Amino acid sequence: MGTPTSTASTADTAADTIAQLRSRMARMHDGVPGRALETHPALAGLVQLRAGSSYAVDSASLALALMAGPSATGSWCAVVGVGDFGAEAASALGIDLDRTVLVPEPGDQWIEVTAALVDVVTLVVVRPPGRVPEQVAGKLAARLRKRSVALVAQEATPGDWPRCEVRLTTREPAWTGVGRGDGHLRSRRLLVEAQRGTAPPRRGALWFPAEDQTYCRAEPAVAPARVVEEAS
Amino acid sequence: MRVMVVWCPDWPVVAALADEGLPTHLPAAVFSANIVQACNAGARAFGVRRGMRRRDAQSRCPELKVCAAVPDRDTRAFEPVLAAVEELRPGVAPLRPGLLALRAPGRFYGGEPAAAALLAERLVGLGVWDCRIGVADELFTAEQAARRAEPQDCHVIEPGESVPFLRGLPVEAIEDLPDGRDAVSLMRRLGLRTLADLADLRASDVRDRFGAQVAWVHRVVGGDGGVLLATRTPPPELACHVDFEPPLDSAETISFSVRQTADRFVAGLARQQLVCTEVRIAARCEGQTEPASSRVWLHPRWFSAADLVDRLHWQLQGAMRNGPSRAGEVRAPVDRVVLEPVTVVPDAVHADALWGNTDERVERGIARVQGMLGHEAVVRPVLQGGRSPAARQALVPWGERPAGLRPVGPPWPGSIPPPAPSRVLSTPWSAEVIGAAGRPVAVDERGAVTCAPERFRSDPGSGWQPVAAWAGPWPVEELWWEERPRRVARFQVVGVDGRAWLLTCDEGVWWTEAVYD
């Protein structure tokens, strides 16, 4: 009786140790040991939002998706310099509009405004008017770490925001449901690439949105040969 | 105890016209749910009656001024009347907007008719032309007497004369009581023509058949059933003002000098255990009687003294900006600032949590940004109903209540089915779309496309690209009842790079309205 129990407990402790070591490695790998923020389930596996880091995206819907995680759990979010915020799309992604602050036209003072909002909210989405100097990004990064706030920079051209933890890019958008003068836009399949430093990028296909207007991972096409292997 | 009743007929209409600064002789009516709730003599001359449908009323009097029923406005407009009467004789009981009762002054003003004349003169001075006064032994009789008085005149029922006066009235006199209309209709069918007929019935029969209200009238007509007046205590003065001698001309100096007054304002409210969530700030220029700059500010929580000073500062900065002349501009030194509470709530509603609120921190941060960029630079997105993506959302300045939003609920024919675009351009980009062999693409009268789009560019700066797929048009005819209706048609266009756009064709001119980014 005693032997199997002790074996199980030993296995448990071993599993715990491995999990602990893995999480420590993950933290070292991420660089910043920031608190993990809620991330939209569609982006799970591609990117994990952490307080104190900055992220760069190249499309408005990805910026909204990153904002959706913290916003849905009741955190305040701010959007600076985005004059074309799509409130309906944001609401469909699960963003709580009552806890969203927009500053559509901060003009020359966008850095000061962003810094002021970093003091009070959990996540700031910013669309910089052009290339951001390394020095400014560094100062803001220090402030983000101090206040434990995440920043999502929506870039017009890649590389506008230096020093970001992860850069998300969209590739091969494919809309379905629309023909030549018939139907309407229904669903879109996107390939999202998450580039972290010099590591090889992680890729994932997403339905953004799917046919039923939800936002989810597109299941990767399962190779039939592998299924057979597992079965046998 | 003698009772005096002051009746201002058609008060909702009087208040509505006064609110818009229109003369009182115009035919006007106040509508609630498209039914005439009150109308004035001008409208009645055309045959407009209470309970009439709006289209019937407008067919009888096409120039009828249509006002919405706003009970708050009626009450607010009646407040000066109450205050004026209170000055002459304390102990006023407001019955409803347009009707008040007080204990009739006896010998002090030299008799009841003299007192009524004085009261009428005071009310005419306030701009209330049509006020009628009735004096009798108790409330119901006094109100009926007021209804039988001429404008600005008084109808006195001598002591002990109430019962003969009431017995002579037709049963229609009680129509204004709750459920009075049904009771009057029933009495007519039962053959009761005057209140005397009603009074001759047995009290228990009246109560069983007509209910408590008519039973009360029955008692009054029988010479019994006087009610005590519920008199009010005059409300405390909560507004504060500060005068500058000499007048000041810089926004900073004025804001600094108002600090103490703002403290006094907040403390005065706190004594009544109130906090202010909506305040009107008015600044008057030297040598003028009307305030040059006046606006209402809202606060998501409540105004502290520092918030009030901030709002005044923003208001003055906006009003003193050099530029083309416009309304609400301060061009001379300011000699008076008035802080007037518009909405107050008990302070318990906004009590702080024991350890402070996170939302309060957010408020402070946002107030800082508002201080940098101005009040309207920080907004909150709100959803509303509409056909185009831009019309389906609204940006409300932080701290203001959204007003006049279209409901999301009902279907909006011509709107684009989901998914919603993630970028909704605030100013559309000028786009170009051409069909095969460079022919222009347009939408004809019947909503059909003249030629399939082949190539497009979303804004003048980007390059042309072929159309991979397109859907539409969603035609919308806006303002079709106007001289020049606006006919637009919306298209969803997917380029060969896989990106989708929402383009609008407005009489052959193309615009990019939103991006499915």
Side-chain angles (χ1 to χ4, degrees), chain A residues 58-62 64 76 83-89 91-92 97-107 109 112-113 115-117 119-121 127 143 154 172-175 177-188 209 213 215, chain B residues 358-359 361-366 368-369 372-373 376-383 389 392-395 398 417-426 429 452-454 467-474 492-494 497-501 516-517:
Chain A
D58 68 343
S59 94
S61 45
L62 271 186
L64 292 180
W76 283 82
D84 50 12
F85 185 78
E88 221 180 349
S91 177
L97 295 180
D98 288 341
R99 288 173 182 267
T100 304
V101 185
L102 292 189
V103 186
E105 278 162 18
Q109 300 194 34
E112 288 84 352
V113 170
L117 288 170
D119 287 352
V120 289
V121 300
R127 186 186 292 165
R143 192 143 184 165
Q154 200 183 322
E172 302 167 22
W175 283 96
V178 57
R180 300 207 58 90
D182 54 277
H184 65 87
L185 296 178
R186 284 176 189 281
S187 60
R188 169 171 64 163
Q213 303 307 318
Y215 294 79
Chain B
T358 44
D359 287 4
R361 210 163 50 92
V362 175
E363 295 297 343
R364 297 237 168 89
I366 290 166
R368 224 173 102 204
V369 178
M372 276 192 258
L373 298 174
E376 262 129 43
V378 183
V379 294
R380 190 159 66 84
V382 187
L383 298 181
R392 291 177 72 85
Q393 62 185 43
L395 301 178
W398 187 263
S422 55
R423 293 178 67 186
V424 178
L425 305 176
S426 51
W429 299 337
E454 287 287 326
V467 173
W470 61 282
W474 282 270
Q492 287 176 332
V493 174
V494 183
D497 61 354
R499 300 174 71 191
W501 310 79
Y516 294 88
D517 191 11

Side-chain angles (χ1 to χ4, degrees), chain B residues 215-236:
Chain B
W216 172 67
V217 174
H218 180 264
R219 277 210 309 282
V220 173
V221 180
D224 184 20
V227 287
L228 289 177
L229 294 183
T231 56
R232 70 166 196 170
T233 314

Side-chain angles (χ1 to χ4, degrees), chain B residues 349-485:
Chain B
V349 174
H350 287 288
D352 277 338
L354 194 54
W355 307 114
N357 291 336
T358 44
D359 287 4
E360 189 182 1
R361 210 163 50 92
V362 175
E363 295 297 343
R364 297 237 168 89
I366 290 166
R368 224 173 102 204
V369 178
Q370 282 181 320
M372 276 192 258
L373 298 174
H375 166 65
E376 262 129 43
V378 183
V379 294
R380 190 159 66 84
V382 187
L383 298 181
Q384 62 175 348
R387 296 196 166 81
S388 70
R392 291 177 72 85
Q393 62 185 43
L395 301 178
V396 184
W398 187 263
E400 285 189 14
R401 229 171 274 149
L405 292 184
R406 291 178 290 273
V408 184
W412 289 90
S415 62
I416 314 288
S422 55
R423 293 178 67 186
V424 178
L425 305 176
S426 51
T427 41
W429 299 337
S430 172
E432 279 177 87
V433 178
I434 53 173
R439 278 189 296 164
V441 182
V443 176
D444 65 12
E445 290 276 305
R446 304 181 68 92
V449 190
T450 54
C451 139
E454 287 287 326
R455 290 196 304 147
F456 77 104
R457 62 176 180 185
S458 55
D459 62 306
S462 67
W464 288 89
Q465 65 167 316
V467 173
W470 61 282
W474 282 270
V476 174
E477 199 165 342
E478 284 167 341
L479 304 174
W480 48 264
W481 56 90
E482 292 279 320
E483 189 80 359
R484 286 175 52 80

